[in-house]
């Protein structure tokens, strides 16, 4: 039993077929020397020696081999760490990173540059988005302001148009009122010839009170505004005292009975002969006996 354990720890069990997983040279040399020693000590009886000192030596050799195998693992790990450190040192020296922060060796320049680029791109994108948002808001504000200005301008134009229409309506209404009054006064010329004369004076451009007063004074002196007045010596007839009376027929065949026809002829004659009623009145006053 002791002999089997020793062989299990130090080397494979004896076999007639050759094995590929041979023991280490030290184990082989141990077995060789152990076997020689056993043969020498026991006088050609290996079995008896293995049960004694030979068994102890084999067990010791198995323990040493086990320790060597476990000892090789940390050595290999240390070699790998040393290689990695040397590679890092070479990379740092080649890229002039000696003395840099230790984080640089962990992160790396490429990663830092990429991170910076991403941060810069993010900042640019954020700035662009903010600017685009501001631009959209400005466009909305501008559109709203344009709409407000357009609405105000349209409202102003509408108010102006409404005011113009209102003024035109007032003017039309005033003209209609004047026409109505004119017609009323003209229709009443038989009873009120002076009011009819003032209405008709405007057609000649005489609208002032001064011209009207001159006309009133002139025809007061001629006929006292009577449509049937007739000068017994000369034959002058009507309100303007036309001589002969037939001259007034150019304004109507009813010149002998219609004061309106007489007034129209008299105003035409004053304009053609004197220019206006005040000139005719001044001439009438300057003559004796008075006439114009």
């Amino acid at each position: 039993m002791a002999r089997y354990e020793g062989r299990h720890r130090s080397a494979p069990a004896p076999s007639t077929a050759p094995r590929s997983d041979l023991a280490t040279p030290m184990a082989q040399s141990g077995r060789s020397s152990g076997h020689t020693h056993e043969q020498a000590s026991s006088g050609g009886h290996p079995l008896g020696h293995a049960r004694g000192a030979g068994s102890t030596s084999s067990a010791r050799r198995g323990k040493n081999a086990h320790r060597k195998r476990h000892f090789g693992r940390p050595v290999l790990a240390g070699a790998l760490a040393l290689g990695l450190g040397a590679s890092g040192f070479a990379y740092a020296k080649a890229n002039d990173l000696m003395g840099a922060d230790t984080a640089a060796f962990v992160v790396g320049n490429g990663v830092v540059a990429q991170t910076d680029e991403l941060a810069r791109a993010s900042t640019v994108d954020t700035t662009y988005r903010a600017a685009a948002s501001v631009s959209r808001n400005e466009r909305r504000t501008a559109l709203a302001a344009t709409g407000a200005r357009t609405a105000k301008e349209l409202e102003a134009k509408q108010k102006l148009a409404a005011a113009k229409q209102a003024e035109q309506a007032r003017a039309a209404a005033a003209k209609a009122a004047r026409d109505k009054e004119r017609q009323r006064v003209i229709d009443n010329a038989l009873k009120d010839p002076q009011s009819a004369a003032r209405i008709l004076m405007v057609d000649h451009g005489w609208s002032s009170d001064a011209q009207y007063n001159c006309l009133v004074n002139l025809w007061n002196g001629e006929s006292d505004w009577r449509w049937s007045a007739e000068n017994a010596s000369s034959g002058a007839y009507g309100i303007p005292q036309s001589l002969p009376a037939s001259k007034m027929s150019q304004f109507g065949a009813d010149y002998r009975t219609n004061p309106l026809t007489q007034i129209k002829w008299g105003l035409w004659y004053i304009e053609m002969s004197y220019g206006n009623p005040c000139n005719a009145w001044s001439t009438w006053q300057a003559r004796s006996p008075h006439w114009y």
Side-chain angles (χ1 to χ4, degrees), residues 70-93:
H70 285 282
F71 179 74
R73 295 177 183 175
V75 171
L76 179 59
L80 289 174
L82 182 60
L84 290 174
S87 298
F89 178 79
Y91 176 81
K93 185 174 182 181

Side-chain angles (χ1 to χ4, degrees), residues 149-221:
R149 287 195 299 270
T150 304
K152 289 182 178 179
E153 291 174 359
L154 180 60
E155 184 180 0
K157 289 181 179 179
Q158 290 176 346
K159 287 183 177 180
L160 183 62
K164 187 175 181 180
Q165 290 178 355
E167 181 62 25
Q168 291 175 351
R170 286 193 295 269
K175 184 178 183 301
R178 288 195 302 270
D179 292 344
K180 185 177 181 179
E181 179 63 17
R182 174 190 175 96
Q183 190 62 41
R184 185 192 69 78
V185 172
I186 290 174
D187 292 344
N188 196 40
L190 189 61
K191 295 180 179 179
D192 188 4
Q194 290 187 11
S195 296
R198 183 157 195 173
I199 289 293
L200 294 175
M201 284 177 61
V202 177
D203 295 342
H204 295 270
W206 308 324
S207 57
S208 65
D209 292 339
Q211 294 295 335
Y212 174 69
N213 291 332
C214 290
L215 181 65
V216 169
N217 293 332
L218 176 64
W219 285 350
N220 276 338

Side-chain angles (χ1 to χ4, degrees), residues 53-277:
S55 176
T56 305
S57 176
S58 297
R60 187 180 297 113
R61 285 196 300 269
K63 290 181 179 180
N64 291 335
H66 183 69
R67 290 195 188 100
K68 289 178 181 179
R69 284 198 298 272
H70 285 282
F71 179 74
R73 295 177 183 175
V75 171
L76 179 59
L80 289 174
L82 182 60
L84 290 174
S87 298
F89 178 79
Y91 176 81
K93 185 174 182 181
N95 291 276
D96 197 18
L97 297 177
M98 297 302 294
D101 190 6
T102 56
F105 293 98
V106 176
V107 178
N109 279 350
V111 177
V112 172
Q114 186 177 7
T115 303
D116 291 342
E117 183 64 24
L118 290 175
R120 186 161 47 253
S122 177
T123 302
V124 171
D125 182 67
T126 303
T127 304
Y128 172 77
R129 290 178 182 274
S133 178
V134 172
S135 179
R136 286 194 297 271
N137 292 335
E138 289 178 351
R139 285 198 298 271
R140 292 194 188 98
T141 304
L143 289 174
T146 303
R149 287 195 299 270
T150 304
K152 289 182 178 179
E153 291 174 359
L154 180 60
E155 184 180 0
K157 289 181 179 179
Q158 290 176 346
K159 287 183 177 180
L160 183 62
K164 187 175 181 180
Q165 290 178 355
E167 181 62 25
Q168 291 175 351
R170 286 193 295 269
K175 184 178 183 301
R178 288 195 302 270
D179 292 344
K180 185 177 181 179
E181 179 63 17
R182 174 190 175 96
Q183 190 62 41
R184 185 192 69 78
V185 172
I186 290 174
D187 292 344
N188 196 40
L190 189 61
K191 295 180 179 179
D192 188 4
Q194 290 187 11
S195 296
R198 183 157 195 173
I199 289 293
L200 294 175
M201 284 177 61
V202 177
D203 295 342
H204 295 270
W206 308 324
S207 57
S208 65
D209 292 339
Q211 294 295 335
Y212 174 69
N213 291 332
C214 290
L215 181 65
V216 169
N217 293 332
L218 176 64
W219 285 350
N220 276 338
E222 287 289 317
S223 63
D224 200 21
W225 289 85
R226 291 180 293 114
W227 59 268
S228 59
E230 183 176 10
N231 191 309
S233 60
S234 64
Y237 185 81
I239 295 173
Q241 288 293 288
S242 172
L243 184 65
S246 60
K247 290 182 178 178
M248 296 185 290
S249 63
Q250 60 180 315
F251 284 90
D254 58 351
Y255 64 92
R256 296 193 68 89
T257 58
N258 189 348
L260 188 61
T261 302
Q262 296 177 3
I263 292 171
K264 288 179 179 178
W265 179 87
L267 293 175
W268 172 82
Y269 172 76
I270 290 173
E271 183 178 5
M272 296 299 295
S273 301
Y274 302 100
N276 57 60

Side-chain angles (χ1 to χ4, degrees), residues 34-56:
H35 181 70
T36 305
H37 181 73
E38 287 174 356
Q39 290 178 352
S41 300
S42 57
H45 300 282
L47 184 58
H49 181 74
R51 292 179 179 176
S55 176
T56 305

